[in-house]
Amino acid sequence: LKPKYIVVAFDMGKPTFRHTAFAGYKAQRKETPTDLISQLGRVKDVVQALNIPIFGVEGYEADDVIGTIAHAVHDKAKAIIVTGDKDAFQLVEDNKVTVYMPPRQREDAKEYDEQDVEEKMGIPPTLIVDYKALSGDPSDNIPGVQGVGPKTAVNLLKAFGSMNGIYESLAHPDKLTESQKKLLSEKLVQKLVDGHKNAVMSQSLATMDCNVPITFVLEDCLVTAYDKQKTVTLFEKLGFK
């Protein structure tokens, strides 16, 4: 990618404001293996040896820090978020923010702009949060609306424009179009009504906080010279040739 600036964000551990808001947030995940924890320490060693700034804030996830930095550079530079997490799709904005996903399983590495996100997810980046609010996210234990899957969530968002649009339409059934009426079966309406509280909570949990209290100066993140011998020594210690 040959960036002019580079920065790395790390989680600072539990609890975050999301764990405080919802005790079940990521509760299904097993404890991080101790051997992985030690490897994360090695990652920090390498990042520091390469003279790359590290950001992390107690009470927030790395995703929130990434979102905050992406917003901070909005009018100064294009931000390319390197991650394997589709949550970052909500930040994508053409010519401003893209998501670069490294290769995984049978998928090649790819940089996602707005059009790419819509092709992959069926909805634009602006609706990713509402999509998770409706369909949930098992990996983060975000409940969503029980009985509403990814396909139904996409269809609803396409028909009503947003999660709020869906619930506003339910409150005014006389204003529904024929195509909207066909989509809203009696069972689905009941699921949406019963799951409204969870949908609102899930929407909040899925939204990245782009106002994390950090001091960020873009020029401090310039790709600069680093101590080559120190880095080579570290790499040799880690078994890299």
Side-chain angles (χ1 to χ4, degrees), residues 55-58 60 65 68 209-216:
F55 285 85
V57 180
E58 293 283 351
Y60 296 89
V65 175
T68 299
D209 187 338
C210 295
N211 292 292
V212 176
I214 59 173
T215 301
F216 181 81

Side-chain angles (χ1 to χ4, degrees), residues 181-195:
K181 287 178 182 177
K182 287 180 182 179
L183 192 60
L184 289 172
S185 66
E186 192 175 328
K187 282 186 177 181
L188 179 55
V189 168
Q190 193 59 53
K191 288 175 183 176
L192 289 167
V193 170
D194 292 344

Side-chain angles (χ1 to χ4, degrees), residues 195-216:
H196 182 244
K197 187 177 179 180
N198 270 353
V200 173
M201 178 184 71
S202 297
Q203 187 182 46
S204 177
L205 293 172
T207 302
M208 289 186 188
D209 187 338
C210 295
N211 292 292
V212 176
I214 59 173
T215 301
F216 181 81

Side-chain angles (χ1 to χ4, degrees), residues 6 16 35 47-48 65 79 88 99-100 191 204 214-215 231:
I6 188 165
T16 68
D35 55 346
V47 171
Q48 288 167 341
V65 175
V99 169
Y100 179 91
K191 288 175 183 176
S204 177
I214 59 173
T215 301
T231 307

